[in-house]
């Protein structure tokens, strides 16, 4: 997958489930593309890079 979920702001850890998940509400088509198409680029991907955010300020 071109966009790494673990580098995304919306990829959150749920302590009660002890797992990570995407907090963006994806519809059925987007979810299918995400799991089946290795070239799918998530339209909601937002970098979790704090240095990149600070550089814009």
């Amino acid at each position: 997958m071109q966009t790494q979920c673990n580098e995304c702001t919306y990829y959150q850890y749920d302590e009660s489930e002890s797992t990570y998940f995407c907090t963006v509400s994806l519809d059925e088509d987007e979810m299918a593309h995400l799991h089946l198409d290795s070239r799918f680029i998530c339209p909601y991907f937002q970098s979790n890079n704090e240095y990149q955010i600070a550089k814009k300020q």
Side-chain angles (χ1 to χ4, degrees):
M1 188 166 36
Q2 288 183 331
T3 55
Q4 301 276 335
C5 287
N6 59 350
E7 296 176 3
C8 184
T9 300
Y10 300 114
Y11 199 57
Q12 305 281 321
Y13 184 74
D14 183 5
E15 291 183 17
S16 64
E17 296 287 327
S18 299
T19 188
Y20 286 90
F21 68 99
C22 181
T23 58
V24 174
S25 181
L26 300 173
D27 66 15
E28 283 184 36
D29 292 332
E30 291 171 327
M31 189 64 81
H33 284 293
L34 183 65
H35 290 292
L36 301 174
D37 187 358
S38 63
R39 294 172 284 142
F40 178 71
I41 298 174
C42 180
Y44 304 106
F45 178 80
Q46 185 174 8
S47 176
N48 196 18
N49 186 344
E50 293 176 11
Y51 295 110
Q52 188 177 26
I53 294 167
K55 197 185 319 181
K56 292 181 180 179
Q57 293 178 351

